Amino acid sequence: ININKKERMINMENMVKCLNELLSDLNVFYRKVQNYHWNIVGKDFFVIHEKLEEYYNEINEQIDEVAEHILILGNEPLGTMKDYLENTCIEEARNEKINDCDVFTNIIKDLEKLLQKVTKIKEEADNQKQYATSSLMDEYISNYSKKLWMLKQMKE
């Protein structure tokens, strides 16, 4: 029985580590999308500027959901930019003007990384019977999949 309890604790620590990595990814992605919102140039400026604001506001909600979920699980969410930068797989945006093609190429790449991460967390949550975590990841899988489809249609 002690081995089983110890194994569950290790599994939970791993899941929280993955959730904190997701939290880090979301925070860096938020900054990146907001940077693009400020620095987008081109003929579709107004439409893209507005869409990027919609995206970063939604990402901000996800940041709060993931952090609160980590707290619900009885753990501590990461909270500093230093922590986020050390635990992310998302590359920061540069402080420079950027065109719509580059913005969407980069956002697609990052959404694919986020989709992989939330899918991995969902699979682990299902294995551990952590259904609240699994359900939250289902929302993100659906959200990122739809965004990827829409963005890829725009690039056609």
Side-chain angles (χ1 to χ4, degrees):
I1 293 180
N2 279 347
I3 293 171
N4 220 355
K5 186 177 180 182
K6 189 174 183 177
E7 187 177 311
R8 279 197 311 270
M9 284 177 57
I10 290 169
N11 288 341
M12 180 57 76
E13 286 173 18
N14 186 46
M15 186 180 318
V16 170
K17 180 181 181 290
C18 290
L19 286 167
N20 265 315
E21 288 171 359
L22 175 61
L23 182 62
S24 298
D25 292 340
L26 289 170
N27 272 283
V28 175
F29 189 50
Y30 172 87
R31 281 284 150 228
K32 184 178 205 170
V33 173
Q34 192 172 55
N35 183 313
Y36 290 161
H37 166 80
W38 294 330
N39 287 298
I40 187 75
V41 294
K43 62 180 172 42
D44 293 324
F45 169 83
F46 287 106
V47 174
I48 296 169
H49 183 77
E50 220 172 280
K51 181 54 77 174
L52 292 171
E53 184 173 357
E54 177 187 314
Y55 279 11
Y56 74 71
N57 284 332
E58 187 176 350
I59 296 162
N60 194 42
E61 289 177 26
Q62 293 173 358
I63 289 167
D64 195 50
E65 285 175 338
V66 172
E68 287 177 353
H69 189 72
I70 293 168
L71 289 164
I72 289 166
L73 294 174
N75 290 273
E76 284 293 316
L78 297 176
T80 68
M81 287 307 295
K82 182 178 185 292
D83 287 337
Y84 300 148
L85 290 170
E86 289 174 356
N87 290 284
T88 188
C89 69
I90 305 292
E91 190 177 314
E92 286 185 287
R94 295 181 182 180
N95 294 319
E96 60 189 21
K97 299 300 178 202
I98 188 164
N99 65 47
D100 58 349
C101 186
D102 291 339
V103 163
F104 292 120
T105 297
N106 293 340
I107 288 177
I108 287 169
K109 185 175 74 174
D110 291 340
L111 282 171
E112 287 172 342
K113 289 178 185 177
L114 289 168
L115 181 58
Q116 285 179 330
K117 181 148 304 162
V118 296
T119 301
K120 176 183 164 196
I121 293 169
K122 182 201 173 22
E123 289 167 355
E124 184 62 30
D126 285 345
N127 288 339
Q128 293 184 40
K129 297 184 168 112
Q130 291 288 331
Y131 300 119
T133 303
S134 178
S135 176
L136 184 60
M137 294 306 110
D138 281 337
E139 287 179 39
Y140 297 157
I141 289 168
S142 178
N143 179 301
Y144 301 155
S145 296
K146 184 173 183 179
K147 274 190 181 49
L148 281 164
W149 168 73
M150 293 175 94
L151 289 167
K152 287 176 181 177
Q153 294 308 304
M154 199 177 88
K155 287 187 62 109
E156 287 294 312

